[in-house]
Amino acid sequence: MHIPPRVLTVAGSDSGGGAGIQADLKTMLALGTHGMSVLTAVTAQNSLGVQGAWELPAEAVRAQFRSVVDDIGVQAVKTGMLSSAELVETVAELLAGLRVPVVVDPVGVSKHGDALLAATALDAVRTALLPTATVATPNLDEVAQLTGIRVEEEADMRRAAAAVLGFGPRWALIKGGHLTAGHGDGGSAVDLLTDGTEEHWLRAPRHDNRHTHGTGCTLASALAAQLAKGDTVPQAAAAAKDYVTGALAAGFRLGAGIGPVDHGWRWRDAH
C-alpha cells in the first residue's frame, strides 16, 4: 500500500476556491501528496474580493493541529492566513515542537487589496512565526509590511532577503512577481531564494493573464509538498516555481473579477 507524503496547511478558507485552504489542498493533491488542514479563519470571498472574515478561536486551531499531528503525522507544514497576534503566537508555539520543514507564507493583503493580517500581529510574525520557518515566502507588499523595505528593482531584492532572514527563517524566497516591466528584467517574473550564503534566482516567463488569484498560497503549498517528498530547498523552490508558472498560464475567468490559477493544469494538459 503506497502512502503519499503528508502535508499540513494552517490557513484560512476561501469560499471561492481560488486561494487559502482550498488552493493549498488542490496543490498538494496535484503534486502527489496527501493534504490535511487546520482552519484558522472563514472568509466570505469571491472573484471581487473579501466580503467578510471570521477568525476561529485559538483553542480550535490548537485542537485541529494536535488531532492531525499526533495521530497521522506530517512531513511538512505550510502556514497562510493568521489574522491576529494570538493566532500567530499559537501556531508558532505548535510549530516549534515539530522537526519537519515549515513554509511560512506571511499573508498580509489579499489579491484585491483586503487586509488579512491585523497590524498588531506583525510583531508576532516577526518575533515568533518567522523563526520557525524553513522557508519564508513574502511577496513585495509583505516585505514592505515586515521590513519597511520597498523593492523597486531586482537589486533591492537582496537587501529585502537579508532583512527577512534577520527575523530567523533559514531561507527567504522573495517573490518578485509584482515588479513591473522596466525594473530589472521586465520580460520575466523573478524570485530570489537565499539563505544568506547561497543565492538562486528563479525566472519564468510573464503571462499576460489577469486571473492570478491564489498564486502566493499555491507557491507556498507547492514548496511544502516538494519538501515533504524529500527535495532540498533549492530543488523544491524550482519545482514549485515551475508548477505555479503553468498554473498561472492556465488561469481562468470565474465570476466578474479576478479568476484563479488552474491547479489542475498538468492533469488537463495530459488529457
Side-chain angles (χ1 to χ4, degrees), residues 181-241:
H183 297 299
D185 181 0
S188 66
V190 60
D191 304 329
L192 171 60
L193 174 72
T194 180
D195 63 353
T197 305
E198 282 183 49
E199 248 185 33
H200 302 267
W201 292 88
L202 307 174
R203 298 180 188 277
R206 283 188 184 274
H207 294 284
D208 185 17
N209 184 356
R210 68 188 291 264
H211 301 302
T212 58
H213 186 49
T215 47
C217 304
T218 300
L219 180 72
S221 295
L223 193 49
Q226 293 300 131
L227 291 171
K229 292 193 287 188
D231 278 6
T232 64
V233 172
Q235 287 170 338
K241 175 83 167 178

Side-chain angles (χ1 to χ4, degrees), residues 67-149:
S67 180
V68 171
V69 171
D70 294 348
D71 173 49
I72 300 170
V74 296
Q75 266 89 52
V77 181
K78 175 257 175 185
T79 72
M81 179 184 175
L82 304 171
S83 50
S84 68
E86 184 185 16
L87 279 188
V88 171
E89 286 161 2
T90 297
V91 171
E93 179 189 331
L94 291 166
L95 293 174
L98 294 183
R99 295 293 176 266
V100 300
V102 173
V103 178
V104 171
D105 185 15
V107 175
V109 179
S110 80
K111 186 70 69 182
H112 306 88
D114 303 291
L116 299 175
L117 179 73
T120 52
L122 274 172
D123 270 346
V125 171
R126 295 183 190 106
T127 60
L129 188 63
L130 286 174
T132 70
T134 308
V135 193
T137 64
N139 64 28
L140 301 187
D141 292 333
E142 291 153 359
V143 164
Q145 263 190 321
L146 290 166
T147 70
I149 293 172

Side-chain angles (χ1 to χ4, degrees), residues 9-34:
T9 169
V10 183
S13 166
D14 171 5
S15 53
I21 287 275
Q22 288 81 353
D24 297 342
L25 294 175
K26 291 174 190 177
T27 299
M28 291 166 187
L29 177 64
L31 293 175
T33 63
H34 174 69

Side-chain angles (χ1 to χ4, degrees), residues 163-189:
V164 171
L165 288 171
F167 296 125
R170 282 172 43 205
W171 292 81
L173 178 59
I174 308 298
K175 300 179 294 194
H178 293 181
L179 277 179
T180 52
H183 297 299
D185 181 0
S188 66

